[in-house]
Amino acid sequence: MSEGGRAGAELELAARVIEIVRELGGRSAEAEVNVRHDAEALTRFANSTIHQNVASATTGVRLRLHAEGRSAGGSTTVTSADGLRTLVERTLAAVRVSPVDRSWPGLAPPAPLRLSAGHPGSGERSGLAFGFDEATARADPAERAERVGDFVRAAGGLETAGYCRTVYVSAAFANSAGQAVEGRTAEAAMDGIARCEGADGVARLAAARLADLDGAVLGARAAAKARAARGPVELPPGHYEVVLEPDAVRDLLENFAVFGFDGKAHHQQQSFAELGREQFDPSVTIVDEPLGSRAEPAADLPFDDEGTPRRALVLVRDGVTTAVTHDRTSAALAGTASTGHASAVSRSWGPKATHLRLEAAPLPGSAPGAGGTGVIADSARPLVAGMRRGLLITDLWYTRVLDPKALVITGLTRNGVWLVEDGEVTSAVSNVRFTQSYPRALGPGRVLGIGAETVLLPESWGRARYAAPALHLAEWNVTGNASG
């Protein structure tokens, strides 16, 4: 039976696997072991009623072996002595029949974790206390249900749907070169919509602590947007000035991470990124922050799946593309070092940034807020006030890549679009289809303003987090509307 969740349990399991590899595979076998205890709890609601509460907790062990020029991997959730021995035996057998692995990058050498002095209780090898909220990790269904109830009541009778979730991860890594590190993390997220006469409004937020999620604030915001989105007019296709609210900007960051700043795609010349070139407006700075920040301490594990310590990585500084993300394989191909972005699938699909932040542009005297409860997000208000005629867009979805090299995306708006004239919202607008190069939209001279605060948002389909401000852009290519 697994002891997942007990401090040090995962590192002990990883060490046992390394010992078995040395016994069965000899000292020449190179081994990497990831042990991960993953506990997720989800409370879902629809028709303004909780209809599902689910929770799962598993401890998994992944082994990657390299011997005699060949590599193979295996995994198990059976963490008994026999289960671990069987995992090693199976993986060694797979290595013997695998093709030669000419891109094997070798093992990560022993290296200390890069932890912030602002998170006491952590050491060079252990990140167990790093940015970790015990209350969130141990949250029960009643605590999530309380936030759902607040969301529903704040919507004032409108139909609502969404979820509130908490996640706890405790993990360790060890390899046969001597690297051995551990860490744990907890996070919470809430995402909900309110519906009024066929119009939807949305509010979502991610946080390192469940206590930082205010269901009433989110519910009021979603309801205000839904009511304001009633009776939309239809606008013709064309190039529109736009203010993208943080939820919409999140989609830009997600696509930049997956298709733009991927070091494997960059090496294969399938990415728009050109290091050292001014590809963005000078107001744009994009940072990957896997360790969180003092303002938004939603930290991930302090090491990646190859045991490389994670750190903040500036991808764009003042408009100039400065870096792409690497695991050890893509770094070896590019002749550089890993940036700590290895995952279970990064050798195949490329290393991805999962904690991108587009830096905000604070106004003098401005103070951070929680996003506001009105039609316009707080960080978007000054940007809307400066728009002569254009669109205020809440959210983007169903986005698909048409040209990965130029990162041309087609997709739809949802959850609220409004026409803005002379700095005032004058009408709701029906949803539109767009076809737009995301890098070009943020290119030199095309960013007219950036919001004064970022909002930490959950990924739509996974556990990545994106810190996004509102954006005022000179041009957005609308290619269709509700009529086609």
Side-chain angles (χ1 to χ4, degrees), residues 79 83 105 119 130 135 172 174 183 201 209 275 323 354 356:
T79 58
H119 297 277
F130 176 68
R209 305 190 313 150
L275 300 182
T354 54
L356 284 195

Coordinates of all heavy atoms in Angstrom, one line a residue, residues 79 83 105 119 130 135 172 174 183 201 209 275 323 354 356:
T79 N 3.2 0.1 -5.8 CA 4.4 0.5 -5.1 C 4.9 -0.4 -4.1 O 5.8 0.0 -3.3 CB 4.2 1.9 -4.5 OG1 3.1 1.9 -3.6 CG2 3.8 2.9 -5.6
G83 N 6.0 -4.9 -6.7 CA 5.6 -4.0 -7.8 C 6.7 -3.2 -8.4 O 6.9 -3.1 -9.6
P105 N 20.2 12.3 -24.0 CA 21.0 13.5 -23.6 C 21.8 13.3 -22.3 O 22.5 14.2 -21.8 CB 19.9 14.5 -23.3 CG 18.8 13.7 -22.8 CD 18.8 12.4 -23.5
H119 N 10.3 31.7 1.0 CA 9.6 30.5 1.4 C 10.5 29.7 2.4 O 11.2 28.8 2.0 CB 9.3 29.7 0.2 CG 8.4 30.4 -0.8 ND1 7.0 30.4 -0.6 CD2 8.6 31.1 -1.9 CE1 6.4 31.1 -1.6 NE2 7.4 31.5 -2.4
F130 N 7.8 24.7 0.2 CA 8.0 25.8 -0.7 C 6.6 26.2 -1.3 O 5.9 25.5 -2.0 CB 8.8 25.4 -1.9 CG 8.9 26.4 -3.0 CD1 9.6 27.6 -2.8 CD2 8.4 26.2 -4.2 CE1 9.7 28.6 -3.8 CE2 8.5 27.2 -5.2 CZ 9.1 28.3 -5.0
A135 N -3.9 23.9 4.1 CA -5.3 23.9 4.2 C -6.0 23.6 2.8 O -7.0 22.9 2.7 CB -5.8 25.2 4.7
A172 N 8.8 13.3 -6.0 CA 10.3 13.2 -5.9 C 10.9 12.7 -7.2 O 10.2 12.0 -8.0 CB 10.6 12.3 -4.7
A174 N 14.7 11.0 -8.6 CA 16.1 10.5 -8.3 C 16.6 9.9 -9.6 O 15.9 9.3 -10.4 CB 16.1 9.4 -7.2
G183 N 9.5 17.7 -3.6 CA 8.7 18.9 -3.4 C 7.2 18.6 -3.4 O 6.8 17.4 -3.7
G201 N -22.1 34.8 -19.2 CA -21.0 35.6 -18.6 C -20.1 34.6 -17.8 O -20.6 33.6 -17.3
R209 N -4.1 29.2 -2.8 CA -4.9 28.9 -1.6 C -6.3 28.9 -1.9 O -6.8 29.8 -2.6 CB -4.6 29.9 -0.5 CG -3.1 30.1 -0.1 CD -3.0 30.9 1.1 NE -3.8 32.1 1.1 CZ -4.3 32.7 2.1 NH1 -4.1 32.2 3.3 NH2 -5.0 33.8 2.0
L275 N 15.4 34.3 -31.7 CA 16.1 34.8 -30.5 C 16.9 36.1 -30.9 O 17.6 36.1 -31.9 CB 17.0 33.8 -30.0 CG 16.4 32.5 -29.5 CD1 17.4 31.5 -28.9 CD2 15.3 32.8 -28.5
A323 N 14.5 33.9 -25.2 CA 14.7 32.4 -24.8 C 13.6 31.6 -25.3 O 12.5 32.1 -25.6 CB 14.9 32.3 -23.3
T354 N 4.5 26.3 -18.6 CA 3.2 26.1 -18.0 C 2.8 27.1 -17.0 O 1.8 27.0 -16.4 CB 3.1 24.7 -17.3 OG1 4.2 24.6 -16.4 CG2 3.2 23.6 -18.4
L356 N 3.2 30.9 -17.7 CA 3.5 32.1 -18.4 C 2.8 33.3 -17.7 O 1.7 33.3 -17.3 CB 3.1 32.1 -19.9 CG 4.0 31.3 -20.8 CD1 3.6 31.7 -22.2 CD2 5.4 31.5 -20.6

